[in-house]
Amino acid sequence: MKANLLAGAFASVLPLASAAPKSAAFTGAADVNDLFVSTAPNEPKPYILPKMAGRAVAVGQQIYRFSVTGNASAGAFTLMQTNAPSSTALGVLPHIHKEHYENFYCTKGRFQLWAQSNSTANATQQARVLTQGDYGAVPQGTIHSFQVTDPDTQLTGIISPGGFEELFIAIGDSAYTSSTGSEYVPAASNSSSSSGAGSSASLISALESFDVYAQLDFVPRRDLVNGTAGDAGTWHTAANALAKDTSTPAFVAKGYGPKYLWRGDAGSGQYAVVAPLVTETQSAGNFTMGTITLSPRSANASAASLSKSSFPVHTALQIEEGEVVVEIDGFAGQARAIQGDVVFVPKDTKWSWWATRPFTKVLYVSGGTGGVEEQFVQEGESWDWITYPIA
Ligand SMILES: *[C@@H]1O[C@H](CO)[C@@H](O)[C@H](O)[C@H]1NC(C)=O
Ligand SMILES: *[C@@H]1O[C@H](CO)[C@@H](O)[C@H](O)[C@H]1NC(C)=O
Ligand SMILES: *[C@@H]1O[C@H](CO)[C@@H](O)[C@H](O)[C@H]1NC(C)=O
Ligand SMILES: *[C@@H]1O[C@H](CO)[C@@H](O)[C@H](O)[C@H]1NC(C)=O
Ligand SMILES: *[C@@H]1O[C@H](CO)[C@@H](O)[C@H](O)[C@H]1NC(C)=O
Ligand SMILES: *[C@@H]1O[C@H](CO)[C@@H](O)[C@H](O)[C@H]1NC(C)=O
Ligand SMILES: *[C@@H]1O[C@H](CO)[C@@H](O)[C@H](O)[C@H]1NC(C)=O
């Protein structure tokens, strides 16, 4: 029998608080309510940050929210979201990071992303229109920029190593707060050039201490056809491979990347479809990310699959669809997370998680190899579909 890291037993989702033994793990009587926080903590600990919660800053009309900070992940990665209205201007002037690997995931809406390797002689400038679920990899040494082109857009940014949020805090116009959780300020910009971070040439040129090297001579190409320019061939029409190495920019359209199907115990109806976006090959093992789509935990999966697992790296799950339940050692009970919530579990912490709804999908980020997706991929089979079998 497999040692499932996806807990898979009894379908009823009962609070365990009253039944939990008063073992050492529960000293302090922490329960799942203590997992829910309003900002990412300053050191690694298990937490759930609800949708739209967390520290946020306004940079022009762009709102940057920080779900996992460098502090919260002990420097492993930053997970943040950017909401902004559509704009006729670049969201940031073209620039390079020498130290940071930046990843653009479109959680909703639409934006354009440009990327051209500065480290490869005469590299082709790539441009793509990213819609929901699309992904762009911007490794160190890549000239890049983006532009938000639909009114209800969320870019999810994953940056390795962590701590890059300090840039937005430093250049931000103000802390952003909204008692209603509004995505951004519903008002026209008072300046055509103030759409976002680093839209002023003098500002972006002063940011080298934040690992931002302005590339003001870069002219973003506008000759996109069917959402793509550059090595244009297969955008939303055929398979997209992950980047071949740690320095080549790459783009993966939703559902067109490599996929693996993991099957739970025979007859359990338990499946996971993993769609990696970054593996050791792209990140040199510094981080991994991708999506995992789960079937709900079945009523009759084996009791053995209830056991918790730990990973040697920090894990973040951003819920994209459906509902996830987590159990985390030290917190009595079960916590639920839905679309927009972020679950963070430090390395070496025992935990289990499962879906309650069909086709529950998470964006996972691991602070290195050996993370939450690895067993699914290793035990899984290569798979051509974005969904799992019907039974
Ligand atoms: C991270 O921690 C350092 C040291 O405590 C602090 O100065 C910094 O403001 C923190 N950063 C964030 C984004 O909270
Ligand atoms: C980009 O490439 C040029 C030419 O090789 C080099 O001079 C420059 O330092 C590079 N820029 C960065 C930020 O690495
Ligand atoms: C750079 O690429 C262009 C277009 O593909 C080509 O015409 C040019 O010869 C290349 N230059 C070098 C130095 O390879
Ligand atoms: C207008 O823009 C300037 C700088 O671009 C900013 O400082 C100011 O707060 C803005 N005013 C309003 C009312 O948004
Ligand atoms: C763009 O898409 C249309 C419709 O699928 C197709 O007919 C056309 O050939 C595409 N253009 C290019 C340059 O691929
Ligand atoms: C689980 O239940 C389904 C349907 O009720 C059944 O077909 C399957 O054999 C059961 N699996 C196990 C492992 O008992
Ligand atoms: C991985 O991390 C090392 C050490 O911080 C760094 O030198 C390297 O550039 C990183 N590589 C990638 C692809 O992120």
Coordinates of all heavy atoms in Angstrom, one line a residue, residues 104-178:
F104 N 5.6 34.5 -13.5 CA 4.3 35.2 -13.7 C 3.3 34.2 -14.0 O 3.3 33.5 -15.0 CB 4.4 36.2 -14.9 CG 5.3 37.4 -14.7 CD1 6.7 37.3 -14.8 CD2 4.8 38.6 -14.3 CE1 7.5 38.4 -14.6 CE2 5.6 39.7 -14.1 CZ 7.0 39.6 -14.3
Y105 N 2.3 34.1 -13.1 CA 1.2 33.2 -13.3 C -0.1 34.0 -13.3 O -0.3 34.9 -12.5 CB 1.1 32.2 -12.1 CG 0.0 31.2 -12.2 CD1 0.1 30.0 -12.9 CD2 -1.2 31.4 -11.5 CE1 -0.9 29.1 -13.0 CE2 -2.3 30.5 -11.6 CZ -2.1 29.3 -12.4 OH -3.1 28.4 -12.5
C106 N -0.9 33.8 -14.4 CA -2.2 34.6 -14.5 C -3.3 33.9 -13.8 O -3.8 32.8 -14.2 CB -2.5 34.8 -16.0 SG -4.0 35.8 -16.2
T107 N -3.7 34.4 -12.6 CA -4.8 33.8 -11.9 C -6.1 34.2 -12.5 O -7.1 33.4 -12.5 CB -4.7 34.2 -10.4 OG1 -3.6 33.5 -9.8 CG2 -6.0 33.9 -9.6
K108 N -6.2 35.4 -13.1 CA -7.4 35.7 -13.8 C -7.1 36.9 -14.7 O -6.1 37.7 -14.5 CB -8.6 36.0 -12.9 CG -8.5 37.1 -12.0 CD -9.8 37.3 -11.2 CE -9.6 38.4 -10.1 NZ -10.9 38.6 -9.4
G109 N -8.0 37.2 -15.6 CA -7.8 38.4 -16.5 C -6.8 38.1 -17.6 O -6.7 37.0 -18.1
R110 N -6.1 39.2 -17.9 CA -5.2 39.1 -19.1 C -4.1 40.1 -18.9 O -4.3 41.3 -18.5 CB -6.0 39.4 -20.3 CG -5.3 39.3 -21.6 CD -6.3 39.3 -22.8 NE -7.0 40.6 -22.8 CZ -7.1 41.3 -23.9 NH1 -6.6 40.9 -25.1 NH2 -7.8 42.5 -23.9
F111 N -2.9 39.7 -19.2 CA -1.7 40.6 -19.3 C -0.7 40.2 -20.4 O -0.8 39.0 -20.7 CB -1.1 40.9 -17.9 CG -0.4 39.6 -17.3 CD1 0.9 39.3 -17.5 CD2 -1.2 38.8 -16.5 CE1 1.5 38.2 -16.9 CE2 -0.6 37.7 -15.9 CZ 0.7 37.4 -16.1
Q112 N 0.1 41.1 -20.8 CA 1.1 40.7 -21.8 C 2.4 40.7 -21.0 O 2.7 41.5 -20.1 CB 1.2 41.8 -22.9 CG 0.1 41.5 -23.9 CD 0.2 42.5 -25.1 OE1 -0.8 42.9 -25.6 NE2 1.4 42.9 -25.5
L113 N 3.3 39.8 -21.4 CA 4.6 39.6 -20.8 C 5.6 39.5 -21.9 O 5.4 38.9 -22.9 CB 4.6 38.3 -20.0 CG 5.9 37.9 -19.3 CD1 6.2 38.9 -18.2 CD2 5.7 36.5 -18.6
W114 N 6.7 40.3 -21.7 CA 7.8 40.3 -22.7 C 9.0 39.8 -21.9 O 9.3 40.1 -20.8 CB 8.2 41.7 -23.1 CG 7.1 42.3 -24.0 CD1 7.1 42.3 -25.4 CD2 6.0 43.1 -23.6 NE1 6.1 43.0 -25.9 CE2 5.3 43.5 -24.8 CE3 5.4 43.5 -22.4 CZ2 4.2 44.3 -24.8 CZ3 4.3 44.2 -22.4 CH2 3.6 44.6 -23.6
A115 N 9.8 39.0 -22.6 CA 11.1 38.4 -22.0 C 12.1 38.1 -23.1 O 11.8 37.6 -24.2 CB 10.7 37.1 -21.3
Q116 N 13.3 38.5 -22.8 CA 14.4 38.3 -23.7 C 15.7 38.1 -22.9 O 16.0 38.9 -22.1 CB 14.6 39.5 -24.7 CG 15.8 39.3 -25.7 CD 15.9 40.4 -26.7 OE1 15.1 41.4 -26.6 NE2 16.8 40.3 -27.6
S117 N 16.3 37.0 -23.2 CA 17.5 36.7 -22.4 C 18.6 37.7 -22.7 O 18.9 38.0 -23.9 CB 18.1 35.3 -22.8 OG 19.3 35.1 -22.1
N118 N 19.2 38.3 -21.7 CA 20.4 39.2 -21.9 C 21.7 38.4 -21.8 O 22.7 38.9 -22.1 CB 20.4 40.3 -20.8 CG 21.4 41.3 -21.0 OD1 21.4 41.9 -22.1 ND2 22.3 41.6 -20.1
S119 N 21.5 37.2 -21.3 CA 22.7 36.4 -21.1 C 23.0 35.5 -22.3 O 24.1 34.9 -22.5 CB 22.6 35.5 -19.8 OG 21.4 34.9 -19.8
T120 N 22.1 35.4 -23.2 CA 22.3 34.6 -24.5 C 22.5 35.6 -25.6 O 21.6 36.5 -25.8 CB 21.1 33.7 -24.8 OG1 20.8 32.9 -23.6 CG2 21.3 32.9 -26.0
A121 N 23.6 35.5 -26.3 CA 23.8 36.5 -27.4 C 22.7 36.4 -28.4 O 22.3 35.3 -28.9 CB 25.2 36.1 -28.1
N122 N 22.2 37.6 -28.8 CA 21.3 37.7 -29.9 C 20.0 36.9 -29.7 O 19.4 36.3 -30.6 CB 21.9 37.3 -31.2 CG 21.3 38.1 -32.4 OD1 20.7 39.1 -32.2 ND2 21.5 37.5 -33.6
A123 N 19.6 36.8 -28.4 CA 18.3 36.0 -28.2 C 17.1 36.7 -28.8 O 17.1 37.9 -28.9 CB 18.2 35.8 -26.6
T124 N 16.1 35.9 -29.1 CA 14.9 36.4 -29.7 C 14.0 37.0 -28.6 O 13.9 36.4 -27.5 CB 14.1 35.3 -30.3 OG1 14.9 34.7 -31.3 CG2 12.8 35.8 -31.0
Q125 N 13.5 38.2 -28.8 CA 12.5 38.8 -27.9 C 11.2 38.0 -28.0 O 10.6 37.9 -29.0 CB 12.3 40.3 -28.2 CG 11.4 40.9 -27.1 CD 10.9 42.3 -27.5 OE1 9.8 42.7 -27.2 NE2 11.8 43.1 -28.1
Q126 N 10.7 37.5 -26.8 CA 9.5 36.8 -26.8 C 8.4 37.7 -26.2 O 8.6 38.5 -25.3 CB 9.6 35.6 -25.8 CG 10.7 34.6 -26.2 CD 10.5 33.9 -27.5 OE1 9.4 33.7 -27.9 NE2 11.6 33.4 -28.1
A127 N 7.2 37.5 -26.7 CA 6.0 38.2 -26.1 C 4.8 37.3 -26.1 O 4.7 36.5 -27.1 CB 5.7 39.5 -26.9
R128 N 4.1 37.3 -25.1 CA 2.9 36.5 -25.0 C 1.7 37.2 -24.3 O 2.0 38.0 -23.4 CB 3.1 35.2 -24.1 CG 4.2 34.3 -24.6 CD 3.8 33.5 -25.9 NE 4.8 32.5 -26.2 CZ 6.0 32.8 -26.9 NH1 6.2 34.0 -27.3 NH2 6.8 31.8 -27.1
V129 N 0.5 36.9 -24.7 CA -0.7 37.4 -24.0 C -1.0 36.2 -23.0 O -1.2 35.1 -23.5 CB -1.8 37.6 -24.9 CG1 -3.1 37.9 -24.1 CG2 -1.5 38.8 -25.8
L130 N -1.1 36.5 -21.7 CA -1.4 35.5 -20.7 C -2.8 35.6 -20.2 O -3.2 36.7 -19.8 CB -0.4 35.5 -19.5 CG 1.0 34.9 -19.7 CD1 1.9 35.7 -20.7 CD2 1.7 34.6 -18.4
T131 N -3.6 34.6 -20.3 CA -4.9 34.6 -19.7 C -4.9 33.5 -18.6 O -3.9 32.9 -18.3 CB -6.0 34.2 -20.8 OG1 -5.6 33.0 -21.5 CG2 -6.1 35.4 -21.8
Q132 N -6.1 33.3 -18.0 CA -6.1 32.5 -16.8 C -5.4 31.2 -16.8 O -5.6 30.4 -17.7 CB -7.6 32.3 -16.4 CG -7.7 31.6 -15.0 CD -9.1 31.1 -14.7 OE1 -9.8 30.8 -15.7 NE2 -9.4 31.0 -13.5
G133 N -4.5 31.0 -15.9 CA -3.7 29.7 -15.8 C -2.5 29.7 -16.6 O -1.7 28.7 -16.6
D134 N -2.2 30.7 -17.5 CA -1.0 30.8 -18.3 C 0.2 31.2 -17.4 O 0.0 31.9 -16.4 CB -1.1 31.8 -19.4 CG -2.2 31.3 -20.5 OD1 -2.6 30.2 -20.4 OD2 -2.5 32.2 -21.3
Y135 N 1.4 30.8 -17.8 CA 2.6 31.0 -17.0 C 3.7 31.5 -17.9 O 3.9 31.0 -19.0 CB 2.9 29.7 -16.3 CG 4.3 29.6 -15.8 CD1 4.6 30.2 -14.6 CD2 5.3 29.0 -16.5 CE1 5.9 30.2 -14.1 CE2 6.6 29.0 -16.0 CZ 6.9 29.6 -14.8 OH 8.2 29.6 -14.3
G136 N 4.5 32.4 -17.3 CA 5.8 32.8 -17.9 C 6.9 32.8 -16.9 O 6.8 33.2 -15.8
A137 N 8.1 32.2 -17.4 CA 9.3 32.1 -16.6 C 10.3 33.2 -17.0 O 10.6 33.3 -18.2 CB 9.9 30.7 -16.8
V138 N 10.7 33.9 -16.0 CA 11.7 35.0 -16.2 C 12.9 34.7 -15.4 O 13.0 35.2 -14.2 CB 11.1 36.4 -15.9 CG1 12.1 37.5 -16.0 CG2 9.9 36.7 -16.9
P139 N 13.9 33.9 -15.9 CA 15.0 33.6 -15.1 C 15.9 34.9 -14.9 O 15.8 35.8 -15.6 CB 15.8 32.5 -15.9 CG 14.8 32.1 -16.9 CD 13.9 33.2 -17.2
Q140 N 16.9 34.7 -14.0 CA 17.9 35.7 -13.8 C 18.5 36.1 -15.2 O 18.7 35.2 -16.0 CB 19.0 35.2 -12.9 CG 18.6 34.9 -11.5 CD 18.1 33.5 -11.3 OE1 17.7 32.8 -12.2 NE2 18.1 33.1 -10.0
G141 N 18.8 37.4 -15.4 CA 19.4 37.8 -16.6 C 18.5 37.9 -17.8 O 18.9 37.9 -18.9
T142 N 17.2 38.0 -17.5 CA 16.2 38.2 -18.6 C 15.6 39.6 -18.6 O 15.2 40.1 -17.5 CB 15.0 37.2 -18.4 OG1 15.5 35.9 -18.3 CG2 14.0 37.3 -19.4
I143 N 15.7 40.3 -19.7 CA 15.0 41.6 -19.8 C 13.5 41.3 -19.9 O 13.1 40.4 -20.6 CB 15.5 42.3 -21.1 CG1 17.0 42.4 -21.2 CG2 14.9 43.7 -21.1 CD1 17.5 42.8 -22.6
H144 N 12.7 42.0 -19.1 CA 11.3 41.7 -19.1 C 10.5 43.0 -18.7 O 11.0 43.9 -18.1 CB 11.0 40.6 -18.2 CG 11.3 40.8 -16.7 ND1 12.6 40.8 -16.2 CD2 10.5 41.1 -15.7 CE1 12.6 41.0 -14.9 NE2 11.3 41.2 -14.5
S145 N 9.2 42.9 -19.1 CA 8.2 43.9 -18.7 C 6.8 43.2 -18.9 O 6.7 42.1 -19.4 CB 8.3 45.1 -19.6 OG 7.4 46.1 -19.1
F146 N 5.8 43.9 -18.3 CA 4.5 43.4 -18.5 C 3.5 44.6 -18.6 O 3.8 45.7 -18.3 CB 4.1 42.5 -17.3 CG 3.8 43.2 -16.0 CD1 2.6 43.7 -15.7 CD2 4.9 43.4 -15.1 CE1 2.3 44.4 -14.5 CE2 4.7 44.1 -13.9 CZ 3.4 44.6 -13.6
Q147 N 2.3 44.2 -19.1 CA 1.2 45.2 -19.2 C -0.1 44.6 -18.9 O -0.4 43.5 -19.6 CB 1.2 45.9 -20.6 CG 0.1 46.9 -20.8 CD 0.2 47.5 -22.2 OE1 1.3 47.5 -22.8 NE2 -0.9 48.1 -22.6
V148 N -0.9 45.1 -18.0 CA -2.2 44.6 -17.7 C -3.2 45.0 -18.8 O -3.3 46.3 -19.1 CB -2.7 45.0 -16.3 CG1 -4.1 44.6 -16.0 CG2 -1.7 44.4 -15.2
T149 N -3.9 44.1 -19.4 CA -4.8 44.5 -20.5 C -6.3 44.1 -20.3 O -7.0 44.2 -21.3 CB -4.3 43.9 -21.8 OG1 -4.1 42.5 -21.6 CG2 -2.9 44.5 -22.2
D150 N -6.7 43.7 -19.2 CA -8.1 43.4 -18.9 C -8.4 44.0 -17.5 O -7.5 44.0 -16.6 CB -8.4 42.0 -18.9 CG -9.0 41.5 -20.3 OD1 -9.3 42.4 -21.1 OD2 -9.2 40.3 -20.4
P151 N -9.7 44.5 -17.3 CA -10.0 45.2 -16.1 C -10.0 44.3 -14.8 O -9.9 44.9 -13.7 CB -11.4 45.8 -16.4 CG -11.9 45.1 -17.5 CD -10.7 44.5 -18.3
D152 N -10.2 43.0 -14.9 CA -10.2 42.2 -13.7 C -9.1 41.2 -13.8 O -9.3 40.0 -14.2 CB -11.6 41.5 -13.6 CG -11.7 40.7 -12.3 OD1 -10.8 40.9 -11.4 OD2 -12.7 40.0 -12.1
T153 N -7.9 41.6 -13.5 CA -6.7 40.8 -13.7 C -6.0 40.6 -12.4 O -5.8 41.6 -11.6 CB -5.8 41.5 -14.8 OG1 -6.4 41.6 -16.0 CG2 -4.5 40.8 -14.9
Q154 N -5.5 39.4 -12.2 CA -4.6 39.2 -11.1 C -3.4 38.4 -11.6 O -3.5 37.3 -12.0 CB -5.3 38.4 -9.9 CG -4.3 38.1 -8.8 CD -5.0 37.5 -7.6 OE1 -6.0 38.1 -7.0 NE2 -4.5 36.4 -7.1
L155 N -2.3 39.0 -11.4 CA -1.0 38.3 -11.6 C -0.6 37.7 -10.3 O -0.6 38.4 -9.3 CB 0.1 39.3 -12.0 CG 0.3 40.0 -13.3 CD1 -0.7 41.1 -13.5 CD2 1.7 40.6 -13.3
T156 N -0.2 36.5 -10.3 CA 0.4 35.9 -9.1 C 1.9 35.8 -9.4 O 2.3 35.3 -10.5 CB -0.2 34.5 -8.8 OG1 -1.6 34.7 -8.5 CG2 0.6 33.9 -7.7
G157 N 2.7 36.4 -8.5 CA 4.1 36.4 -8.7 C 4.8 35.5 -7.7 O 4.5 35.5 -6.5
I158 N 5.7 34.7 -8.2 CA 6.5 33.8 -7.4 C 8.0 34.2 -7.7 O 8.4 34.1 -8.8 CB 6.3 32.3 -7.7 CG1 4.8 32.0 -7.4 CG2 7.2 31.4 -6.9 CD1 3.9 32.1 -8.5
I159 N 8.7 34.6 -6.6 CA 10.1 35.1 -6.8 C 11.0 34.3 -5.9 O 10.7 34.2 -4.7 CB 10.1 36.6 -6.6 CG1 9.1 37.3 -7.5 CG2 11.5 37.1 -6.9 CD1 8.9 38.8 -7.2
S160 N 12.1 33.9 -6.5 CA 13.1 33.1 -5.7 C 14.5 33.8 -5.9 O 14.8 34.1 -7.0 CB 13.2 31.7 -6.2 OG 14.4 31.0 -5.8
P161 N 15.2 34.1 -4.8 CA 14.9 33.8 -3.4 C 13.8 34.8 -2.9 O 13.5 35.7 -3.6 CB 16.2 34.0 -2.7 CG 17.0 35.0 -3.5 CD 16.6 34.6 -4.9
G162 N 13.4 34.6 -1.7 CA 12.3 35.5 -1.1 C 12.9 36.8 -0.7 O 14.1 37.0 -0.6
G163 N 12.0 37.8 -0.4 CA 12.4 39.1 0.0 C 12.3 40.2 -1.0 O 12.4 41.4 -0.6
F164 N 11.9 39.8 -2.2 CA 11.8 40.8 -3.3 C 10.7 41.8 -3.0 O 10.7 43.0 -3.5 CB 11.6 40.2 -4.6 CG 11.9 41.1 -5.8 CD1 13.2 41.4 -6.1 CD2 10.8 41.6 -6.5 CE1 13.4 42.3 -7.2 CE2 11.1 42.4 -7.6 CZ 12.4 42.8 -7.9
E165 N 9.7 41.5 -2.1 CA 8.6 42.4 -1.8 C 9.2 43.7 -1.2 O 8.5 44.7 -1.2 CB 7.6 41.7 -0.8 CG 8.2 41.4 0.6 CD 9.0 40.1 0.6 OE1 9.1 39.5 -0.4 OE2 9.4 39.7 1.7
E166 N 10.4 43.7 -0.6 CA 10.9 44.9 0.0 C 11.0 46.0 -1.1 O 10.9 47.2 -0.7 CB 12.3 44.7 0.6 CG 12.4 43.6 1.7 CD 11.7 43.9 3.0 OE1 11.2 45.1 3.1 OE2 11.6 43.1 3.9
L167 N 11.2 45.6 -2.3 CA 11.2 46.7 -3.4 C 9.9 47.4 -3.5 O 9.8 48.6 -3.5 CB 11.4 46.0 -4.8 CG 11.1 46.9 -6.0 CD1 12.2 47.9 -6.1 CD2 11.0 46.0 -7.2
F168 N 8.8 46.7 -3.5 CA 7.5 47.3 -3.6 C 7.1 48.1 -2.4 O 6.5 49.2 -2.5 CB 6.4 46.3 -3.9 CG 6.7 45.5 -5.2 CD1 7.2 44.2 -5.1 CD2 6.6 46.0 -6.4 CE1 7.5 43.5 -6.2 CE2 6.9 45.3 -7.6 CZ 7.4 44.0 -7.5
I169 N 7.5 47.6 -1.2 CA 7.3 48.4 0.0 C 8.1 49.7 -0.1 O 7.6 50.8 0.3 CB 7.7 47.5 1.2 CG1 6.7 46.4 1.3 CG2 7.7 48.4 2.5 CD1 7.1 45.3 2.3
A170 N 9.3 49.7 -0.6 CA 10.1 50.9 -0.7 C 9.6 51.9 -1.7 O 9.6 53.1 -1.4 CB 11.6 50.5 -1.0
I171 N 9.1 51.4 -2.9 CA 8.7 52.3 -3.9 C 7.2 52.6 -3.8 O 6.7 53.5 -4.6 CB 9.1 51.9 -5.3 CG1 8.3 50.6 -5.7 CG2 10.6 51.6 -5.4 CD1 8.5 50.2 -7.2
G172 N 6.5 51.9 -3.0 CA 5.0 52.0 -2.9 C 4.6 53.5 -2.5 O 5.3 54.1 -1.8
D173 N 3.5 53.9 -3.1 CA 3.0 55.2 -2.8 C 2.5 55.2 -1.3 O 2.5 56.2 -0.6 CB 1.8 55.6 -3.7 CG 2.3 55.6 -5.2 OD1 3.4 56.1 -5.4 OD2 1.6 55.1 -6.0
S174 N 1.9 54.1 -0.9 CA 1.3 54.0 0.4 C 0.9 52.6 0.7 O 0.9 51.7 -0.2 CB 0.0 54.8 0.4 OG -0.9 54.3 -0.6
A175 N 0.7 52.3 2.0 CA 0.1 51.0 2.3 C -1.3 51.0 1.8 O -2.0 52.1 1.7 CB 0.1 50.8 3.8
Y176 N -1.7 49.9 1.2 CA -3.1 49.8 0.7 C -4.0 49.1 1.7 O -3.6 48.0 2.1 CB -3.1 49.1 -0.6 CG -4.5 48.9 -1.2 CD1 -5.1 49.9 -1.9 CD2 -5.2 47.7 -1.1 CE1 -6.4 49.8 -2.5 CE2 -6.5 47.5 -1.6 CZ -7.1 48.6 -2.3 OH -8.3 48.4 -2.8
T177 N -5.1 49.7 2.1 CA -6.0 49.0 2.9 C -7.4 49.2 2.3 O -7.7 50.2 1.7 CB -6.0 49.5 4.4 OG1 -6.3 50.9 4.3 CG2 -4.7 49.3 5.1
S178 N -8.2 48.2 2.5 CA -9.6 48.3 2.0 C -10.5 47.5 3.0 O -10.3 46.2 3.1 CB -9.8 47.8 0.6 OG -11.1 47.6 0.3

